[in-house]
Amino acid sequence: AGAAVVAGRALLSTNGSFSGFLTIAPSGTFTLAGTGTKIFDTLRLFNQGKVLWLAGDIQSQPNASVSFVTNAGLWRIEGNDTLNFPFGGPQPVFVNAPSGILRKLTGTGTTAVQNWQFRNDGTVDVQSGTLSFSGGGGVLSGAWSVAATSQILFSNGSYTSAGNATFTGPGLSRF
């Protein structure tokens, strides 16, 4: 627990638990690698740089109502893993800010966001495979781009349109 700032450096995690406040400065990189599960336990993550999610699931703990991710930089997905909250009660929140880019770059399978509230005010860009949102809900706004043979799926949640969402690209967007 506590506060940390990653600036001009790289932070690598292959497993373990994160709590407190973590800021990735514009010059910083936070890499989530290895097949081990990464635990977000009351974590407030503010990304202005790069988060490279290469492998392994990310799970928020039962006190997740205080787990909050704000992506104002690049959050790059290169696998087929899950951002998950497998408990009842208030759900954790992921906000893709106006300057944020959430990009699924590789992995022909499915990356799942399960039981998280998700708000997009920036850009969601699926270049490979499937990005699936289920069991959570959130606000659909911003830009959504889906490459050929890729898809974005929304199911089992309550999603609200902010009126300015745009879906582009030859891929599928399913609700």
Side-chain angles (χ1 to χ4, degrees), residues 88-130:
Q91 296 172 323
V93 176
F94 189 112
V95 174
N96 197 41
S99 60
I101 299 170
L102 176 68
R103 176 172 289 141
K104 181 167 169 49
L105 190 59
T106 61
T108 57
T110 299
T111 296
V113 178
Q114 296 175 339
N115 301 314
W116 276 66
Q117 292 294 309
F118 184 85
R119 178 181 180 105
N120 179 44
D121 293 313
T123 300
V124 174
D125 180 23
V126 180
Q127 296 183 9
S128 180
T130 299

Side-chain angles (χ1 to χ4, degrees), residues 6-133:
V6 178
R9 303 211 182 266
L11 175 63
L12 169 66
S13 171
T14 56
N15 63 20
S17 182
F18 297 88
S19 62
F21 295 87
L22 177 60
T23 298
I24 310 302
S27 60
T29 301
F30 180 27
T31 302
L32 302 163
T35 58
T37 298
K38 290 76 173 163
I39 304 295
F40 287 5
D41 189 3
T42 65
L43 176 67
R44 300 281 184 162
L45 172 60
F46 181 50
N47 176 42
Q48 297 171 297
K50 292 183 203 130
V51 172
L52 307 177
W53 184 14
L54 305 180
D57 291 341
I58 300 171
Q59 178 178 304
S60 191
Q61 292 299 84
N63 47 353
S65 62
V66 292
S67 288
F68 199 96
V69 173
T70 300
N71 179 47
L74 173 64
W75 186 291
R76 192 171 80 196
I77 302 166
E78 294 194 11
N80 302 309
D81 299 290
T82 302
L83 176 63
N84 188 25
F85 177 65
F87 308 100
Q91 296 172 323
V93 176
F94 189 112
V95 174
N96 197 41
S99 60
I101 299 170
L102 176 68
R103 176 172 289 141
K104 181 167 169 49
L105 190 59
T106 61
T108 57
T110 299
T111 296
V113 178
Q114 296 175 339
N115 301 314
W116 276 66
Q117 292 294 309
F118 184 85
R119 178 181 180 105
N120 179 44
D121 293 313
T123 300
V124 174
D125 180 23
V126 180
Q127 296 183 9
S128 180
T130 299
L131 182 58
S132 170
F133 298 89

Side-chain angles (χ1 to χ4, degrees), residues 96 98 100 102 118 120-126 133 139-147 152 154 160-175:
N96 197 41
L102 176 68
F118 184 85
N120 179 44
D121 293 313
T123 300
V124 174
D125 180 23
V126 180
F133 298 89
V139 178
L140 303 180
S141 60
W144 302 76
S145 175
V146 189
I152 296 175
F154 298 93
T160 304
S161 172
N164 63 343
T166 59
F167 289 83
T168 61
L172 294 175
S173 299
R174 290 200 239 171
F175 297 87

